Amino acid sequence: MRRNHLIAAAAVCLALIIYATLATLAGRPVLMGHAEAYWVVVIERFSAYCLLGFLLSFLLPGRFKLACAFVIAVAIGLEALQAIVPDRDPGVRDVLQKASGGILGIILAQTVLAFLPRPPS
């Protein structure tokens, strides 16, 4: 995949995460209706950040710590910004779910990258 496509995919993923995190509860996208179970919300958070981490890891090959720091900073920053949205409540558990999803995505991508052939230098 070309680098421009990866940048666009990561930007779209990040934009959707920002929207879903900072939108009011009435405007928040949902998978199973507004009365969805808590575990569905956890899976949504985890998988969104997993995808973000996966894409970032392909954008930053060999920079595991930088990719992890970016995902964790996004999780903490957006969760802190939820404090200014009237009907949203920030929480440490949410940050842990998001950060762990992002780090798992990074680890998965690093595993894939380890098995891909290296281009000649």
Side-chain angles (χ1 to χ4, degrees), residues 1 29 42 49:
M1 186 179 252
V42 172
Y49 276 83

Side-chain angles (χ1 to χ4, degrees), residues 39-82:
W39 63 270
V40 175
V41 176
V42 172
I43 291 172
E44 287 175 356
R45 287 181 193 137
F46 191 86
S47 60
Y49 276 83
C50 190
L51 178 60
L52 179 65
F54 191 84
L55 293 170
L56 279 176
S57 193
F58 273 97
L59 279 173
L60 305 168
R63 295 190 175 143
F64 180 79
K65 291 179 184 177
L66 180 62
C68 286
F70 184 79
V71 168
I72 292 170
V74 167
I76 291 171
L78 288 177
E79 201 65 26
L81 285 174
Q82 274 189 352

Side-chain angles (χ1 to χ4, degrees), residues 11 25 34 43 58 76 105 110 116-117:
L25 285 178
H34 288 287
I43 291 172
F58 273 97
I76 291 171
Q110 292 294 325
L116 289 177

Side-chain angles (χ1 to χ4, degrees), residues 21-37:
T21 304
L22 298 179
T24 61
L25 285 178
R28 184 181 173 274
V30 292
L31 288 178
M32 301 175 61
H34 288 287
E36 61 190 5

